[in-house]
Amino acid sequence: MLRLPAVSGRFYPSHPAELTAVIHRLIEIESNTQKVAVKACLLPHAGYVYSGMVAGAVFSRISLPRKILILGVRHFPRGEQAAILSSGVWRTPLGDAPIDESLARALRAACPLLREDDVAHSQEHSLEVQIPFLQVLAAGFSFVPVALGTVRFEDLVQVGEGVARLFAESREEILLLTTSDLNHYEDDATTRVKDRKAIERLLALDARELYDTCRNEKISMCGLGPAVAMITALQILGAERAELVQYATSADVSGDTRAVVGYAGMIFS
């Protein structure tokens, strides 16, 4: 399957040279930082003008292996609730990024809840906006895309358990790249308070409390499902450290504090 870009020219530049230059600008602030190996990272997925600096701060901190598992969001009510693509390539202005077929097969075996589905992925931007960063920074990488909709906590735990089995059995290093924006479309002050509550649960590696806090506090974290699955996997794999690399809201760029979106960049080891 050839998955064509859905948000090129809107979320990021459509011209290859301009796109490459933008990515280099987004990472150069932290370019002298020594890169570290991590088990997982959490990245935002808005347009690069709004959240690219947060993503760039994380990418500047971490070493990137050749195999990447991306847990993204299913923003649109189409397709499977837990959707995987197991073959083909994703095209961006920088070329084609191959899906790792052997890794996808292993993940499907480890997590039968996942269903093969190109509909859920066809217009989904949360995974797409990560690919150009990887194409610039991790030449020769392959990846597996998974899009998770709003599903039950128990199902998210099942996905996380499958990811943990995959990682534990793999002889190769794999990065779990999880993507989520935080609270949506409330004023900046409210969003920062709500986002801090979610970030505290992420830092504590507490999947149940993250899920309950977002539900009870009405924190509209679109990637709650991927984040719960990620934390579940990290708990099983013995992760001991979580770090907030950078936080921002869209108001930091637009100046409009009336209705913002929050962005967090985090690493887990």
Side-chain angles (χ1 to χ4, degrees):
M1 173 194 169
L2 170 61
R3 194 274 190 185
L4 295 172
V7 294
S8 174
R10 294 191 292 129
F11 280 55
Y12 57 84
S14 59
H15 190 279
E18 182 184 358
L19 176 55
T20 301
V22 166
I23 290 172
H24 281 301
R25 284 199 301 272
L26 291 171
I27 65 170
E28 70 179 1
I29 295 175
E30 305 261 352
S31 60
N32 294 325
T33 303
Q34 184 176 0
K35 295 186 184 298
V36 297
V38 299
K39 289 182 172 67
C41 61
L42 180 76
L43 297 170
H45 53 245
Y48 285 8
V49 67
Y50 291 108
S51 69
M53 68 286 192
V54 176
V58 172
F59 279 120
S60 297
R61 287 283 304 278
I62 63 176
S63 59
L64 293 168
R66 293 177 63 87
K67 292 181 179 289
I68 316 285
L69 169 57
I70 307 180
L71 293 184
V73 185
R74 196 203 68 170
H75 280 95
F76 305 103
R78 297 189 295 271
E80 296 287 345
Q81 288 277 11
I84 186 173
L85 286 179
S86 300
S87 64
V89 296
W90 282 35
R91 180 164 295 169
T92 80
L94 302 182
D96 292 345
I99 291 176
D100 192 309
E101 296 186 15
S102 61
L103 187 62
R105 285 195 301 269
L107 179 58
R108 290 193 65 184
C111 185
L113 184 71
L114 298 176
R115 295 287 185 268
E116 194 74 23
D117 178 38
D118 60 355
V119 174
H121 286 278
S122 62
Q123 298 298 312
E124 179 51 54
H125 65 274
S126 66
L127 297 98
E128 179 181 331
V129 299
Q130 315 303 328
I131 303 300
F133 275 101
L134 297 173
Q135 288 175 307
V136 170
L137 301 172
F141 82 98
S142 59
F143 76 108
V144 176
V146 173
L148 296 177
T150 303
V151 293
R152 299 181 309 139
F153 178 79
E154 293 75 16
D155 292 335
L156 300 171
V157 168
Q158 184 178 334
V159 174
E161 290 171 343
V163 171
R165 282 193 293 272
L166 172 71
F167 278 46
E169 295 170 1
S170 177
R171 297 180 179 179
E172 298 182 86
E173 183 183 1
I174 309 167
L175 173 66
L176 178 56
L177 191 164
T178 304
T179 177
S180 178
D181 294 339
L182 299 183
N183 198 55
H184 287 62
Y185 309 134
E186 294 188 87
D187 66 85
D188 192 69
T190 300
T191 288
R192 289 177 185 272
V193 170
K194 288 189 172 185
D195 286 350
R196 172 46 60 181
K197 293 177 180 179
I199 290 168
E200 286 173 352
R201 304 278 56 83
L202 286 159
L203 290 170
L205 295 173
D206 194 326
R208 180 79 250 186
E209 282 296 315
L210 174 65
Y211 186 86
D212 290 345
T213 296
C214 286
R215 292 299 180 91
N216 295 336
E217 300 286 343
K218 295 182 172 56
I219 303 170
S220 52
M221 178 179 178
C222 58
L224 176 59
V228 167
M230 174 190 69
I231 293 175
T232 300
L234 289 170
Q235 289 171 325
I236 296 170
L237 294 169
E240 298 177 344
R241 185 168 181 268
E243 178 185 346
L244 176 63
V245 176
Q246 188 166 320
Y247 172 79
T249 74
S250 55
D252 293 324
V253 174
S254 70
D256 184 351
T257 61
R258 295 168 298 177
V260 310
V261 180
Y263 313 117
M266 304 182 68
I267 56 177
F268 305 85
S269 55

